[in-house]
Amino acid sequence: MTTWPVHTVANPLKIAVLISGGGTTLRNLLEKIREDQLPLEVVLVISSSSQAKGMAYADEANIPCKVITVVQHPDKADFSQEIFQACREKEVELVVMGGFLKQITVPEDFVNRVVNIHPSLIPAFCGAGFYGIRVHTAVIEHGAKVSGCTVHFVDDHYDHGPIIAQSVVDVLPNDQPADLAARVFEAECHVYPATIAAIAAGRVAVSGRQVVVQPAS
């Protein structure tokens, strides 16, 4: 079973945020840390693209940012090793994917220490090729009545690791993919930081595929 020690504002959970584009998840986390005093500290941002606009949020917050690309490291094992070695050097306790579009191999010392959020209710509308607006288009075309988002631990397969939390969003009759995407993202902005905060507070335990989240006291 995997559990975490309790962190406080005085002893925050050290996280790295992995991005590939606009960095909206990073921005949201930084805002929540500032506003809600979440017991988190972003000690590193890693971008899979030298053009990612989200790096500006790291720069504004004086957070070290490292660019690690597939072009530089075409072998997945080498690419993953570069990412996790950078995290080890910063003593990262939890890796948070925020719109990170590259697949990685999770090393043994980071099993159940990497989290991601997917814009559907896993196991529906997930896996290779399901990302961004493609997910919401598929949901609407399939005629689903609900969608939402899923926070999960990352393993070596797309959208496959143990599920930690899910948030349900109604699919409305006249929804366009962008409409649904906006409402799902609003849900993401609440459930992702809340889930990471639960990990920081020592309220999350993992045993195999079963994840138990204790309520806040």
Side-chain angles (χ1 to χ4, degrees):
M1 178 177 289
T2 304
T3 58
W4 287 262
V6 176
H7 290 77
T8 65
V9 173
N11 178 33
L13 180 73
K14 295 180 179 180
I15 69 172
V17 180
L18 275 53
I19 67 173
S20 293
T24 51
T25 295
L26 172 62
R27 180 189 65 193
N28 180 49
L29 287 174
L30 291 174
E31 288 175 353
K32 295 291 185 182
I33 290 169
R34 286 192 295 262
E35 295 172 3
D36 300 335
Q37 297 296 301
L38 294 177
L40 311 173
E41 179 185 3
V42 182
V43 298
L44 177 66
V45 171
I46 295 176
S47 174
S48 67
S49 169
S50 61
Q51 305 300 314
K53 294 181 180 179
M55 291 190 292
Y57 299 121
D59 186 56
E60 291 168 4
N62 294 314
I63 299 168
C65 187
K66 190 174 181 68
V67 176
I68 302 175
T69 70
V70 172
V71 173
Q72 297 168 324
H73 306 281
D75 179 72
K76 187 170 72 171
D78 182 44
F79 177 65
S80 303
Q81 169 61 20
E82 286 292 313
I83 289 172
F84 287 104
Q85 185 55 35
C87 291
R88 293 184 190 104
E89 290 171 0
K90 289 294 184 180
E91 300 181 339
V92 168
E93 298 169 276
L94 184 73
V95 176
V96 177
M97 289 188 169
F100 191 73
L101 300 179
K102 305 301 180 182
Q103 190 177 26
I104 57 174
T105 300
V106 179
E108 188 64 29
D109 59 329
F110 276 88
V111 170
N112 292 336
R113 291 177 55 201
V114 184
V115 294
N116 190 27
I117 189 162
H118 181 74
S120 77
L121 298 175
I122 293 174
F125 306 103
C126 66
F130 279 98
Y131 61 88
I133 204 69
R134 294 184 180 188
V135 175
H136 309 295
T137 300
V139 168
I140 292 171
E141 288 179 348
H142 197 76
K145 303 306 180 188
V146 295
S147 188
C149 52
T150 303
V151 184
H152 65 95
F153 289 108
V154 175
D155 60 15
D156 294 344
H157 306 280
Y158 284 116
D159 308 324
H160 178 265
I163 292 170
I164 313 169
Q166 294 182 300
S167 182
V168 177
V169 172
D170 288 332
V171 181
L172 304 181
N174 296 318
D175 266 344
Q176 296 299 310
D179 302 323
L180 180 57
R183 291 202 308 283
V184 170
F185 180 69
E186 185 177 351
E188 290 181 28
C189 288
H190 294 286
V191 71
Y192 208 10
T195 302
I196 298 167
I199 293 172
R203 295 190 284 109
V204 176
V206 190
S207 180
R209 290 200 60 83
Q210 302 304 311
V211 181
V212 176
V213 182
Q214 297 293 339
S217 57

